[in-house]
């Protein structure tokens, strides 16, 4: 069967080599035109996507399964073209229905759905668009989650209980700036993604949370794990996590709101209000180990850490944590499984801290967190008491000046932001001690307790 050339105003289609009409049982899935070379029928026209897909793990899904030594019938549907990942509802389609090699591997149609209609009569109106939605309920009916779930690969199971799975109503109505980090459609637009998908342009009617396709590019192997951006770059515009986690890391003189998602600049050492008397030696940032070359994956090292839980009696895999709760030190239950909620620090795993090479053992990492936390809490309490004595007239968003009181208050809020002192204890300590000194200098308000204002965390680390 050969395709005729045709043209629309936006898309140019070209004649392609013949391909064998798919078996009726395949339910209009076309699969490979040349299984031995992994040439998909779709890729005969979508040449760029075909070339990039060949470099992804999806293109070798079948061979990898066979080589794993664990291949079984239960694995087939996720390692071939089937109803999983797309809107097909019939249990028997593609490889499951035919056992034909043309349907092996995770191909275009695994996500986009059956392509026969579009292949035989190409038109914009019959493109099989993939959905990027991920069901947050008890059932998963399409998309990445149909395969990336369960004991083996519980990516979506973990994502469901993460904050990334929530859509905040205020963010949806807050304009493009808020939507660019709080909705999938807004984020993809901000990233410059122009690939068409089912929910595109529906941010006001069908806002999606930060789903898999926001961080992972199904078509490109440009970055590890098919990420859209690097997780190692220290350029905030090129680091996947920091692109969003860098909002209001420095004070806004016209706003009474404190820090908002300041994690990236905190980690990289330039967040906060830097008092006039605050002087640095040897650079314009304060970087701790977590934000240095010693931790090349930066945020992802701790927040997307994988670990396996094995049955102590049999040694068999009980659970494969993927890190997609994005919790750096998750709580563990009595069986060693990660849980949601809060717990004592002794019940948390610090495995990510040792895996990165930053700390020699989990106990060392735990002790470091406790010690740093005590030091920062002392400084926070001292600064909070001093700010309470600053004249109220020093806090205003309607005048034309930015005061020491406002700057010190911002630094206190930054220090109290979740994870700040772990992300960069040296910076947080320096900002707090400098704020205390500046308040004393400008307002004559002395600390109520005898607190050490040396930057002892940084000095003892060296």
């Amino acid at each position: 069967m050969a395709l005729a050339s045709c043209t629309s105003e936006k898309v140019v289609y070209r004649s392609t080599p013949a391909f064998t009409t798919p078996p009726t049982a395949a339910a209009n899935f076309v699969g490979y035109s040349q299984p031995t070379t992994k040439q998909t029928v779709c890729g005969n026209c979508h040449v760029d996507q075909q070339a990039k897909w060949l470099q992804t793990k999806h293109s070798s899904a079948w061979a990898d399964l066979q080589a794993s030594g664990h291949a079984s019938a239960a694995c087939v549907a996720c390692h071939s073209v089937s109803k999983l990942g797309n809107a097909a509802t019939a249990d028997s389609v593609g490889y499951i229905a035919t056992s034909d090699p043309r349907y092996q591997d995770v191909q275009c149609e695994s996500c986009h759905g059956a392509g026969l209609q579009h292949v035989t009569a190409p038109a914009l109106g019959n493109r099989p668009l993939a959905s990027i939605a991920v069901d947050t309920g008890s059932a998963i009916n399409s998309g990445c989650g149909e395969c990336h779930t369960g004991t083996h690969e519980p990516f979506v199971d973990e994502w469901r209980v993460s904050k990334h799975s929530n859509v905040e109503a205020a963010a949806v109505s807050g304009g493009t700036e808020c939507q660019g980090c709080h909705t999938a459609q807004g984020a993809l637009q901000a990233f410059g993604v122009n690939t068409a998908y089912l929910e595109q342009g529906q941010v006001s009617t069908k806002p999606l949370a930060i789903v898999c396709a926001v961080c992972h590019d199904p078509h490109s192997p440009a970055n590890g794990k098919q990420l859209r951006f690097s997780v190692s770059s220290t350029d905030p515009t090129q680091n996947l996590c920091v692109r969003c986690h860098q909002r209001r890391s420095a004070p806004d003189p016209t706003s009474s709101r404190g820090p908002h998602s300041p994690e990236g600049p905190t980690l990289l050492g330039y967040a906060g209000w830097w008092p006039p008397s605050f002087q640095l030696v040897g650079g314009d940032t304060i970087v701790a180990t977590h934000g240095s070359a010693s931790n090349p994956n930066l945020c992802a090292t701790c927040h997307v850490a994988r670990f396996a839980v094995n049955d102590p009696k049999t040694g068999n895999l009980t659970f494969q944590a993927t890190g997609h709760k994005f919790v750096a030190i998750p709580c563990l239950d009595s069986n060693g499984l990660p849980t949601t909620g809060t717990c004592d620090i002794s019940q948390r795993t610090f495995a990510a801290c040792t895996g990165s090479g930053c700390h020699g053992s989990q106990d060392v990492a735990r002790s470091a967190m406790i010690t740093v936390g005590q030091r920062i809490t002392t400084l926070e309490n001292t600064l909070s008491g001093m700010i309470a004595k600053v004249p109220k007239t020093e806090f205003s968003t309607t005048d034309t000046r930015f005061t020491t009181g406002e700057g010190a208050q911002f630094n206190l809020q930054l220090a109290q932001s979740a994870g700040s002192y772990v992300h960069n204890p040296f910076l947080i300590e320096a900002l707090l001690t400098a704020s205390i000194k500046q308040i004393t200098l400008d307002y004559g308000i002395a600390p109520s307790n005898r607190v050490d204002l040396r930057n002892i965390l940084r000095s003892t680390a060296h």
Side-chain angles (χ1 to χ4, degrees), residues 388-412:
K389 297 177 182 179
V390 174
K392 301 302 181 185
T393 53
E394 293 292 284
F395 302 92
S396 173
T397 58
T398 59
D399 58 21
T400 57
R401 64 195 183 110
F402 187 72
T403 69
T404 293
E406 291 168 332
Q409 185 175 62
F410 185 91
N411 284 347
L412 177 62

Side-chain angles (χ1 to χ4, degrees), residues 221-399:
N223 296 297
K225 310 298 183 183
Q226 293 183 235
L227 295 172
R228 293 196 182 274
F229 293 90
S230 167
V231 293
S232 301
S233 176
T234 55
D235 180 345
T237 67
Q238 296 302 312
N239 184 287
L240 177 65
C241 308
V242 180
R243 280 188 66 99
C244 276
H245 291 277
Q246 59 162 321
R247 300 293 186 260
R248 211 162 56 247
S249 61
D252 178 358
T254 65
S255 174
S256 60
R257 300 180 66 187
H260 178 64
S261 198
E263 294 85 4
T266 301
L267 180 73
L268 299 174
Y270 57 87
W273 172 70
W274 293 39
S277 60
F278 190 26
Q279 296 183 351
L280 289 181
V281 177
D284 57 359
T285 60
I286 298 178
V287 180
T289 305
H290 292 166
S292 73
S294 297
N295 179 32
N297 287 333
L298 300 174
C299 317
T301 298
C302 297
H303 288 276
V304 197
R306 297 184 66 133
F307 64 91
V309 180
N310 296 314
D311 187 313
K313 296 181 179 179
T314 65
N316 295 331
L317 177 69
T318 300
F319 186 79
Q320 178 71 51
T322 69
H324 279 63
K325 289 181 180 179
F326 307 103
V327 178
I329 48 171
C331 298
L332 302 180
D333 65 15
S334 59
N335 295 316
L337 300 177
T339 65
T340 58
T342 60
C343 64
D344 183 77
I345 193 171
S346 63
Q347 296 173 295
R348 294 183 178 276
T349 175
F350 283 74
C353 308
T354 60
S356 66
C358 291
H359 299 278
S361 71
Q362 291 198 47
D363 286 339
V364 169
R366 185 179 290 107
S367 296
M369 183 174 178
I370 293 171
T371 300
V372 170
Q374 291 171 342
R375 166 65 172 164
I376 296 302
T377 298
T378 297
L379 293 173
E380 288 175 354
N381 292 338
T382 299
L383 181 58
S384 178
M386 296 173 72
I387 290 174
K389 297 177 182 179
V390 174
K392 301 302 181 185
T393 53
E394 293 292 284
F395 302 92
S396 173
T397 58
T398 59
D399 58 21

Side-chain angles (χ1 to χ4, degrees), residues 112 210 215 313:
H112 287 268
I210 303 304
C215 297
K313 296 181 179 179

Side-chain angles (χ1 to χ4, degrees), residues 147-188:
C147 279
H148 294 283
T149 186
T151 301
H152 179 47
E153 294 287 326
F155 291 96
V156 168
D157 308 71
E158 294 183 350
W159 170 86
R160 279 173 164 171
V161 297
S162 77
K163 290 185 178 180
H164 279 174
S165 70
N166 297 328
V167 180
E168 296 185 22
V172 175
S173 60
T176 56
E177 183 177 1
C178 297
Q179 293 167 4
C181 285
H182 288 275
T183 69
Q185 294 98 326
L188 291 175

